[in-house]
């Protein structure tokens, strides 16, 4: 309701500000009996954490998760899983320079307008730091969905676009480079480009593509809760996301129906997959794939003019250690949100037949 | 939960199949005291209904709404508004040809897999006929949001794209032509193109752009229920939608942060609006604008090969009176879903301060 | 949210005022594949309807349900079931006498205060007529729960109390008399008593006891959504209900733990059942039983002093054809709400294990 | 959904087992701008905590709450309030004796049946220790509802019943004795009685009465979410509760309508208050009062026969430090749940008019 929970049965509620004591959450509705691999959870957190390479923010946060409940003798118990990630690097003094002014294209201004005041220590609740909690919940959802493979990767940085579909790529190479692009040659160019952007004190946008394989047939609820509608909401809820398309997406509008229709094979699979694994909002067993567009990060290390609370013009400058491009660190977040949607819809789907 | 409700406070639950007795719904949480203009509601229904021009399906359905409750002496009472649109043109005999086979890129196959059987009379619940109920609810939401202007229009058909932003267009011209494109010259070309597609027995996709003006500052809930995330879900839940982008969208990924950031004027408005009226998931008072991609309609009036329930190959052919391009009739649906999101979020926003 | 929906998975949303065109609802989340017996649904409606005996209101309403959707070839399809019961006996002119005054212990005053105005034609939305929609939904829930037996009966009228537990009674006799008390001798006395109350132009309260047998073990969610908590809410949501107790109830507070504890048999059943079939909020396979207290109906056919909208004292008098005692007609409502809770919790319980 | 959240707008989700690392929760939807008095929060926790007097369990748990988020410079920010109460006294070795057997009238057996296994360290999630999280959330809700007074007290222990209504009592005396009964004389007798029960190694039930004054008119949603229905659910969700009645309650069924109806004064208040401050499910501005029945605690320090997982009969004995009577410590829990309902409904009520 107030926007800090996601999912209906498999449901995570998160809390925490960038500069508070801790972030964390409660995962409710996780089925009992899942043998949890805690190393894999931490591993996804490490893929998201700052300081992991030269092209991401150099802040140091260990991002270690502490579980409070819901796990007993290595298995989920069916009761809520409470957890926290303690903030060890709060340094709220870094943010004195933004206390009285609004950073352009940040949430500073709207939070103040909405709530009557704001937590001016960094992004507060609007900081992408919150997504670490999603990664924890998503990593558990992945373990519930053990037969499903969810793989995201960077397919575009600025106007450098990977001109291959996911089937032409070896997705096992995604983690082999700092950009998380499975084409090593393109990855190298992207990395150089991000470094040059960083040197300018500027930022650049990008696109993440995600593929989910072996999704069971039948996930997705008709009408308002179509599977791709919930995936779209999940992705658009990630900080800095500006667009979502699945299957043929925006390019598909140019096609004719006779070309776009996916003809059936005898086993119910389809010869093409412009549908992106979803028909009528329901998974059809084919690969689900989609693109997520991220804008350039708003914090630039350049001087700019802005306004203070009274509307006076003030000069300001970005400080601190920010990401020149958000997509490399957002890959595990996209995967986590995908896993949360699929886990929730897999559970909902247990209830629809006699 | 089962996917037939939308919204949390201002909430519509719809029912009905394309070939059942009636479609309709219940609108709960509509505030009391709204003086309803029933003519405006019917007018939006008429914009969606079949048979309104040469480039849409020639089926005849009057689509008259009957209200059962929730309105007294011309005003909403605060109690649920029940309504139905009776199906006068059921002709389920038209669909004998699809009873035993699955139409490609339709929901036939997945419904059968999910529910164990299906209502084979046309699309059943997966038919876009359901969206008439959304238009009713959306038309009421519009009347609640009386200071907000919501205008959608067709900005692309196939690869014919309107090369002007919404600010360069006179949106009052949208309803002046059958395509619902506010540029009369382009509209004419699009109309000719759709006619040629229809003549081929084929279909084509398109894009609808929507603009909401005078949206109050502060709508949107942080984290999972960001305003654009809910708008995205709303749009993606419409039949045939493949993509959603707002503000700078997919093009924005190519920009640098220093160019993309929207600098403030003294009054809190911004000089540019790449943010699309939403920052951190919360409306900032600038125009909200977004694009919605629609695939080509799956029903083509051409022979094709498909499979039956046993997986045998069968020859089939589209029959009936279908839309060669869905976007002209989808314009009021996009507006309705936009209104539903904004009405709901306006009510939620009443609860967030002491 | 606005209070007109019940259940999370198996969810009914109702609409309609006592003097509007129709009442009805949407049942969402009803599993596909249930062979519906429509006669049984109408039969439960007939048990609730006015005019069925000398001790209930003599209004005439046929209360026939019309289904719009969600049923195909005799089975539920998994899509929402829309339905309406048309009001054939609106006679809103009967209520001119209450238009400008507030009836004591009715909802007139609070509706006016809450919504800014009210539908003064009878009870409007606060009328118990709404419960007919619950009976429809509950009758479908019963058919989903085919192995569960739900039997309610009148156990008290005024201070005439049935001094036998449900195990000592032949519940098949409940429908053999107008009171719906399974002890024919006591039923006769209760009937006479209600007739005498009616003659006085007065009303009297009562208690309904309900027993659910063969409820599977495991229904009920820990902590806030305990099975008895949801049953309690369900019952308290019925018009005129003032109290709920299950198992040992209010009498149980006088017992010592050593007497109250239900000792196990080897098969997991218990020797006694003070727990009322629910332990820790979860069904344990024993009979679930509970009592529901109904106040005397507020409409009395006697003169009384009350106030109008301006706070002036006015003389008023009950008119129309009202129930002298609500419990005989409330028996199927109690059963319906019980079925709705059990159906919903049975579906939720499918999601809790790996 | 999985039962660990309460409320729709003002919503708390709790986590934690009796013998895990911590219990705690997330409060979402708490409005921004509330100046929090942390001492009052801790004070309510202290009223609930073990070891506070001779008639409650002698376990030692400090029950100190740690807030992680949602509070900045002493005020709520409108973002979720995450908190934990660390378990300092886990002693799970105390529970080896119940690992393989099921305690009668506890949740052991049903948890095992429902989830496939159980956390056998004490009550796990079914322990009343969870209610400490409710007290934290309720204490914040109380501060939001600053004009409303919520006072609960013990009105019955075993068959010792306070024969005075709340208006005849000085509720400021409630905290003056260990039982929390506002009549000092009766309190003394109750205390002696509980001590004698404790000496027997047995337990006894009780009743808590709660009164809420100055509740604004208009809280409560029609039909399913009547104010008393939600209060009833809230109370019935508390461990060991067997019954709920409000206003005239179960006694009211014996009254005639002409006596039971609350006649109006000119200002809209009523001369009597059998309605218990709620009419048609909506608060009418009069005092809200209700009774909550608690069964005797199931853990008795006496030998008993029970079964193990295989259904074999085994001898067992209650150990540890348990409450002979739960009501003295449950008083702040009843108040907390009342505050949560009223806070939530006060926020919902902001959305119902134009």
């Amino acid at each position: 309701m107030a926007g800090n929970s996601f999912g209906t049965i498999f449901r995570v509620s998160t809390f925490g500000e960038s500069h508070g004591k801790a972030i964390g959450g409660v995962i409710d509705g996780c089925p009992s009996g899942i043998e949890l691999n805690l190393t894999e959870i931490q591993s996804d957190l490490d893929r998201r954490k700052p300081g992991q390479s030269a092209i991401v923010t150099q802040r140091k946060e260990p991002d270690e998760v502490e579980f409070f409940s819901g796990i007993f003798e290595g298995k989920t118990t069916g009761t809520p899983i409470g957890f926290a990630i303690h903030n060890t690097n709060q340094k709220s003094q870094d943010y004195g320079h933004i206390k009285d002014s609004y950073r352009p294209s940040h949430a500073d201004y709207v939070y103040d307008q909405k709530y009557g005041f704001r937590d001016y220590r960094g992004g507060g609740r609007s900081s992408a730091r919150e997504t670490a909690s999603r990664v924890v919940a998503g990593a558990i959802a992945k373990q519930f969905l053990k037969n499903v493979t969810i793989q995201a990767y960077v397919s575009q940085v600025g106007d450098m676009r990977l001109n291959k579909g996911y089937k032409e790529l070896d997705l096992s190479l995604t983690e082999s480079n700092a950009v998380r692009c499975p084409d090593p040659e393109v990855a190298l160019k992207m990395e150089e480009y991000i470094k040059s952007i960083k040197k300018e004190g500027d930022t650049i946008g990008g696109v993440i593509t995600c593929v989910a394989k072996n999704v069971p047939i039948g996930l997705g609820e008709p009408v308002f809760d179509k599977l791709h509608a919930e995936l779209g909401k999940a992705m658009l809820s990630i900080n800095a996301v500006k667009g979502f398309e699945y299957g043929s997406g925006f390019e598909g509008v140019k096609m004719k129906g006779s070309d776009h229709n996916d003809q059936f094979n005898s086993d119910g699979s389809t010869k093409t997959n412009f549908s992106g694994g979803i028909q009528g909002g329901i998974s059809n067993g084919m690969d689900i794939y989609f693109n997520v567009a991220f804008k350039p990060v708003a914090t630039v290390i350049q001087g700019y003019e802005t306004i203070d609370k009274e509307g006076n013009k003030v000069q300001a400058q970005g400080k601190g250690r920010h990401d020149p491009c958000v997509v490399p660190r957002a890959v595990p977040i996209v995967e986590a949100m995908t896993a949360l949607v699929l886990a929730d819809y897999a559970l909902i789907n247990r209830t629809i037949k006699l």
Side-chain angles (χ1 to χ4, degrees), chain A residues 324-340:
Chain A
C325 180
V326 81
V327 284
R329 287 178 59 207
V331 164
I333 306 168
V334 166
E335 290 178 5
M337 293 307 297
T338 305
L340 286 173

Side-chain angles (χ1 to χ4, degrees), chain A residues 23-144:
Chain A
I23 62 169
V26 180
I27 303 160
D28 201 10
C30 180
S32 68
I34 304 170
E35 291 201 42
L36 280 190
N37 182 328
L38 299 179
T39 310
E40 284 180 14
I41 298 171
Q42 190 58 50
S43 160
D44 269 355
L45 275 174
D46 291 346
R47 293 168 70 209
R48 197 211 72 98
K49 80 174 176 188
Q52 61 183 282
S53 78
I55 59 168
V56 305
T57 173
Q58 297 306 302
R59 279 197 310 278
K60 293 290 176 201
E61 290 159 325
D63 281 357
E64 275 168 24
V65 59
E66 179 186 14
F67 289 105
F68 293 131
S69 64
I71 305 168
F72 184 57
E73 297 182 339
K75 287 185 183 173
T76 58
T77 58
T79 62
I81 301 170
F83 66 93
I85 299 169
H86 297 276
N87 287 338
T88 57
N89 186 12
Q90 303 183 23
K91 285 212 190 177
S92 63
Q93 67 276 23
D94 278 8
Y95 290 87
H97 64 294
I98 59 169
K99 180 175 176 180
D100 297 318
S101 71
Y102 300 126
R103 293 169 298 170
S105 290
H106 273 272
D108 300 351
Y109 175 73
V110 289
Y111 265 66
D112 226 347
Q113 294 287 320
K114 185 177 180 78
Y115 295 109
F117 74 113
R118 82 181 213 268
D119 176 350
Y120 51 75
R121 301 164 304 167
R125 184 65 181 153
S126 73
S127 162
R129 177 143 183 71
E130 180 273 340
T131 57
S133 299
R134 305 184 186 205
V135 169
V136 172
I140 292 174
K142 281 181 184 176
Q143 297 190 33
F144 165 60

Side-chain angles (χ1 to χ4, degrees), chain A residues 11-292:
Chain A
R11 182 173 178 89
V12 61
S13 300
T14 73
F15 64 80
E17 288 85 40
S18 58
H19 290 72
K21 267 192 165 181
I23 62 169
V26 180
I27 303 160
D28 201 10
C30 180
S32 68
I34 304 170
E35 291 201 42
L36 280 190
N37 182 328
L38 299 179
T39 310
E40 284 180 14
I41 298 171
Q42 190 58 50
S43 160
D44 269 355
L45 275 174
D46 291 346
R47 293 168 70 209
R48 197 211 72 98
K49 80 174 176 188
Q52 61 183 282
S53 78
I55 59 168
V56 305
T57 173
Q58 297 306 302
R59 279 197 310 278
K60 293 290 176 201
E61 290 159 325
D63 281 357
E64 275 168 24
V65 59
E66 179 186 14
F67 289 105
F68 293 131
S69 64
I71 305 168
F72 184 57
E73 297 182 339
K75 287 185 183 173
T76 58
T77 58
T79 62
I81 301 170
F83 66 93
I85 299 169
H86 297 276
N87 287 338
T88 57
N89 186 12
Q90 303 183 23
K91 285 212 190 177
S92 63
Q93 67 276 23
D94 278 8
Y95 290 87
H97 64 294
I98 59 169
K99 180 175 176 180
D100 297 318
S101 71
Y102 300 126
R103 293 169 298 170
S105 290
H106 273 272
D108 300 351
Y109 175 73
V110 289
Y111 265 66
D112 226 347
Q113 294 287 320
K114 185 177 180 78
Y115 295 109
F117 74 113
R118 82 181 213 268
D119 176 350
Y120 51 75
R121 301 164 304 167
R125 184 65 181 153
S126 73
S127 162
R129 177 143 183 71
E130 180 273 340
T131 57
S133 299
R134 305 184 186 205
V135 169
V136 172
I140 292 174
K142 281 181 184 176
Q143 297 190 33
F144 165 60
L145 297 163
K146 57 186 165 192
N147 296 320
V148 178
T149 310
I150 299 168
Q151 290 168 296
Y153 61 90
V154 171
S155 58
Q156 187 172 345
V157 170
D159 53 11
M160 303 180 72
R161 191 172 179 175
L162 195 50
N163 286 317
K164 291 174 186 167
Y166 74 89
K167 289 199 166 174
E168 305 162 74
L169 294 163
D170 177 358
L171 300 188
S172 72
L173 298 177
T174 301
E175 295 296 315
S176 69
N177 59 73
V179 182
R180 294 201 165 89
C181 171
D183 182 321
E185 216 168 314
V186 177
L188 204 64
K189 288 182 194 159
M190 288 174 169
E191 193 172 339
E192 290 312 309
Y193 183 51
I194 294 172
K195 282 181 181 166
S196 72
I197 288 287
K198 185 184 171 185
K199 206 168 286 175
E200 296 172 28
D202 215 329
T203 62
I204 190 76
V207 174
I208 290 176
T209 299
C210 184
V211 189
K213 296 177 181 170
N214 295 321
V215 176
I217 302 179
L219 305 199
E221 299 308 303
V223 183
F224 296 109
D225 293 342
K226 292 184 167 83
L227 182 55
H228 57 268
E230 190 72 1
L231 283 169
K233 178 171 180 179
M235 298 308 138
L236 287 155
S237 77
I238 300 172
N239 307 50
V241 171
K242 302 294 286 186
F244 170 85
E245 60 179 0
Y246 79 104
S248 60
F250 276 89
E251 281 301 304
V253 308
K254 302 177 186 165
M255 294 174 72
K256 293 184 183 177
S258 54
D259 295 326
H260 191 274
N261 283 350
D262 295 316
Q263 306 301 327
F264 283 105
N265 296 312
S266 306
D267 61 356
S269 67
T270 58
K271 296 182 205 296
T272 51
N273 184 17
F274 293 111
S275 299
I278 302 173
Q279 286 172 336
I282 298 169
S283 62
N284 68 351
M286 302 295 291
D287 293 346
I288 293 174
Y289 63 95
F290 53 84
N291 293 323
V292 188

